[in-house]
Amino acid sequence: MALWRDDSPTIELETRDLILRAPRAEDYEAWAKLRAASRRRTEPWEPSWTEDELTRTAYRGRMRRYDLDWKEGRGAPFFVIRKRGNLLVGACNLNNIKRGVMQSADIGYWIGTPYIRQGYARQAIRRVLAFAFNELKLNRIEAAVQPENTISRKLLEEIGFQNEGLARRFLYIAGEWRDHDKLALLAMDPIRG
């Protein structure tokens, strides 16, 4: 039984150290291992994990959603693969792509604990932004960061995101409604950092 459709997107984005591509069925073992190893660090910033979060069944469901997002143009999920060793190091996704008068999306990302502070998040975000603006022709990319997540906020600001204010009780994270700072980068803004 296939995990999901065999005609998954073939888009690959490249940086100096990374390949960003759509998640694949064969990524399950590496993904589950990296997510488990990173749980303590990522839990404060993510929705609460389900009991079956790291199971193959849950992964299949995740892949079906990703595939549908690609197919319907609502999202562009990328796994971040380090070229050296062909290792999964994280993910960087465009979510909630809106067309029409908005031409916008949200960006979300995570880097596994063994690979933090090596520049992978910065490379992945910058490359996904270039894809969003140049290839998808979006006008605006938004990011939501909890005020306590100073490392992520600093990274986004160094790349060029600008703070647009506080969204009160914006996302249900780690079992409670949490405030988030809303940041945005426009197509006309320079991508820095």
Side-chain angles (χ1 to χ4, degrees):
M1 174 180 174
L3 281 180
W4 81 101
R5 299 164 46 104
D6 291 331
D7 60 345
S8 296
T10 57
I11 294 171
E12 285 193 355
L13 310 178
E14 196 168 337
T15 74
R16 181 186 67 240
D17 301 312
L18 306 171
I19 300 279
L20 291 88
R21 60 161 172 76
R24 299 176 183 160
E26 61 266 21
D27 295 323
Y28 168 71
E29 296 290 337
W31 173 85
K33 182 178 177 183
L34 185 59
R35 291 293 289 165
S38 306
R39 183 173 185 167
R40 289 183 86 164
R41 191 180 61 77
T42 61
E43 260 185 326
W45 319 118
E46 297 181 341
S48 297
W49 286 26
T50 61
E51 291 276 326
D52 69 341
E53 187 78 21
L54 299 180
T55 65
R56 195 174 291 276
T57 300
Y59 186 79
R60 282 188 196 109
R62 181 182 298 271
M63 294 304 101
R64 281 191 292 272
R65 285 190 310 277
Y66 285 164
D67 189 56
L68 193 58
D69 283 349
W70 273 109
K71 181 181 174 192
E72 296 182 355
R74 292 185 312 221
F78 293 99
F79 273 5
V80 179
I81 310 295
R82 187 179 73 189
K83 290 177 183 176
R84 185 171 44 85
N86 194 36
L87 292 172
L88 175 68
V89 299
C92 188
N93 305 324
L94 291 172
N95 305 303
N96 304 311
I97 295 174
K98 298 173 194 83
R99 294 299 189 173
V101 297
M102 291 209 59
Q103 300 296 325
S104 69
D106 304 320
I107 194 166
Y109 55 91
W110 64 272
I111 297 295
T113 300
Y115 308 107
I116 60 171
R117 304 261 163 61
Q118 296 178 38
Y120 299 141
R122 182 181 310 273
Q123 284 184 54
I125 293 166
R126 292 182 81 241
R127 185 60 185 96
V128 168
L129 289 170
F131 172 75
F133 293 136
N134 299 330
E135 296 169 55
L136 297 182
K137 304 298 184 198
L138 296 177
N139 176 60
R140 176 185 180 85
I141 304 298
E142 298 180 354
V145 180
Q146 291 178 56
E148 302 81 22
N149 192 347
T150 55
I151 293 170
S152 192
R153 182 188 174 119
K154 181 180 177 195
L155 172 62
L156 291 168
E157 288 175 339
E158 287 173 355
I159 289 171
F161 279 81
Q162 295 181 33
N163 186 21
E164 294 191 330
L166 182 72
R168 298 178 304 133
R169 294 174 52 93
F170 184 65
L171 294 173
Y172 196 73
I173 301 293
E176 64 182 316
W177 288 103
R178 302 237 176 129
D179 295 347
H180 281 70
D181 288 321
K182 295 285 287 184
L183 295 94
L185 186 74
L186 305 180
M188 61 185 238
D189 296 335
I191 298 174
R192 300 188 311 254

